[in-house]
Amino acid sequence: MFPIHRPRRLRQSTQLRRMVRETVVTTSDLIYPLFAVPGEGIAQEVKSMPGVYQLSVDKIVAEAKEVYDLGIPSIILFGIPDNKDVEATGAWHDCGIVQKAATAVKEAVPELVIIADTCLCEYTSHGHCGYLEVGDLSGRVLNDPTLELLKKTAVSQAKAGADIIAPSGMMDGFVQAIRTGLDEAGFQDTPILSYAAKYASAYYGPFRDAAESPPQFGDRSTYQMDPANSQEALKEVELDIAEGADMLMIKPALAYMDIIWRVKEATNLPVAAYNVSGEYSMVKAAALNGWIDEQKVVMETLTGFKRSGADLILTYHAKDAARWLQE
């Protein structure tokens, strides 16, 4: 009578497989990134990210309505300003592009959760995430002075209507600085989704096109994490929790599912995974060439993120995934 144990018994039909499925992706898991630009009536496709657009505020509002109607609970806003300078003025100014977009979306779709990416690289003339020494061409950001810029940016975003602040610059102490700034400004209830473990990754290439934020010199290795390190990720997470983070993000996701798993095992906070631009563009390119089944690959990948421990997934596939989940 060998074998007695036959796991295939529970795989015999679609309905039976659904009944015993361990990991399920839902629209509630998804967060959709959007790129806001000045102007009106603008929808400029990002060449390296088919299906992703730079959008003016009016188009952002229309997109936000569509996202909400699909059952996706949240968007994250990135901004491309008219002008860039060493003070990253466009990041923290009350009339900054993310601030305008956040206010417009909150008025049009009040129940949609707005996350504001709180970083400076899109707004600095040199493309790095904070202040540099005068004449420095290495890209080594001055940590503590940059914290003051991040505080101002977070407060201005919260005032504009952002529901969640998501600092992504990987500055030491940035969660505590932002928490202090928000609390002092009366935003004690505004949560922080920290990019707790953000790696210096080659997977970000297409995002640099979308956000127009490549460094003009050097790279970001002095502040983003070495892709070879995992213990360091747990150290970063521990520090961010101690400083007041409410949620934690791992970025990128695909090559870092072990980090997602380790962070989820080490903490009881919600964990988000950022399915970044390079991961998206590789799938899109292969699908457009007919080499893969896009729907199956995307859903398998998102399921992998959930299985590894992610509670939330930031992904450019969010709208497509939401439609597929309705089928």
Side-chain angles (χ1 to χ4, degrees):
M1 295 298 295
F2 178 83
I4 297 173
H5 299 290
R6 296 179 182 267
R8 289 181 58 188
R9 292 174 184 143
L10 299 182
R11 304 175 196 152
Q12 294 184 64
S13 70
T14 300
Q15 295 288 44
L16 188 53
R17 289 192 296 273
R18 284 180 58 195
M19 288 171 63
V20 298
R21 187 160 294 152
E22 299 173 29
T23 306
V24 178
V25 176
T26 73
T27 55
S28 297
D29 303 323
L30 305 175
I31 298 168
Y32 190 52
L34 290 171
F35 297 93
V37 296
E40 188 173 349
I42 296 172
Q44 177 73 35
E45 188 170 27
V46 180
K47 290 182 179 180
S48 57
M49 299 180 70
V52 174
Y53 295 81
Q54 294 177 334
L55 301 169
S56 53
V57 171
D58 56 316
K59 294 290 188 178
I60 289 272
V61 169
E63 193 80 350
K65 290 177 179 177
E66 181 181 354
V67 167
Y68 184 73
D69 289 342
L70 285 168
I72 298 168
S74 179
I75 60 172
I76 183 167
L77 291 173
F78 299 89
I80 300 95
D82 266 328
N83 298 297
K84 304 188 180 196
D85 56 39
V86 295
E87 295 287 333
T89 305
W92 49 264
H93 197 282
D94 288 343
C95 293
I97 187 62
V98 163
Q99 287 79 356
K100 289 180 178 178
T103 299
V105 170
K106 187 53 66 176
E107 290 176 353
V109 197
E111 294 185 9
L112 186 68
V113 175
I114 299 172
I115 304 172
D117 178 76
T118 307
C119 197
L120 307 173
C121 60
E122 298 106 305
Y123 308 94
T124 55
S125 50
H126 45 67
H128 283 283
C129 298
Y131 284 121
L132 304 180
E133 288 276 11
V134 175
D136 180 6
L137 297 180
S138 70
R140 187 174 181 274
V141 172
L142 300 174
N143 193 91
D144 294 5
T146 295
L147 297 182
E148 295 304 311
L149 288 181
L150 291 172
K151 283 171 66 174
K152 289 201 296 184
T153 301
V155 171
S156 71
Q157 291 170 338
K159 286 180 178 177
D163 299 293
I164 297 173
I165 299 300
S168 60
M170 290 299 288
M171 295 297 113
D172 293 339
F174 66 164
V175 171
Q176 182 172 323
I178 288 171
R179 182 73 273 157
T180 299
L182 290 172
D183 291 354
E184 290 175 349
F187 294 102
Q188 295 91 342
D189 294 330
T190 299
I192 295 174
L193 166 57
S194 172
Y195 287 65
K198 181 179 180 181
Y199 286 84
S201 173
Y203 282 97
Y204 302 150
F207 177 91
R208 307 272 162 80
D209 295 336
E212 299 181 13
S213 62
Q216 299 301 301
F217 46 82
D219 59 30
R220 296 179 175 143
S221 297
T222 65
Y223 45 103
Q224 295 177 359
M225 286 179 55
D226 185 337
N229 293 358
S230 57
Q231 285 297 120
E232 185 184 11
L234 299 182
K235 178 181 179 180
E236 290 280 5
V237 163
E238 182 181 344
L239 290 170
D240 284 5
I241 292 172
E243 291 174 19
D246 301 284
M247 296 181 281
L248 307 164
M249 191 191 302
I250 313 303
K251 182 180 181 182
L254 192 60
Y256 298 86
M257 285 198 277
D258 62 317
I259 306 300
I260 299 170
W261 175 261
R262 293 191 68 179
V263 170
K264 188 61 181 177
E265 289 289 288
T267 175
N268 57 7
L269 294 185
V271 174
Y274 201 139
N275 180 204
V276 300
S277 59
E279 299 165 7
Y280 170 87
S281 294
M282 290 191 299
V283 170
K284 277 291 183 182
L288 288 169
N289 278 285
W291 298 336
I292 60 171
D293 183 316
E294 181 178 0
Q295 178 175 344
K296 288 183 178 179
V297 167
V298 169
M299 295 312 299
E300 182 177 342
T301 302
L302 298 182
T303 300
F305 299 150
K306 279 291 296 285
R307 192 183 65 247
S308 68
D311 302 291
L312 303 167
I313 304 169
L314 296 86
T315 178
Y316 304 97
H317 296 292
K319 290 200 302 179
D320 287 335
R323 294 187 185 102
W324 294 330
L325 288 167
Q326 293 173 1
E327 293 177 356

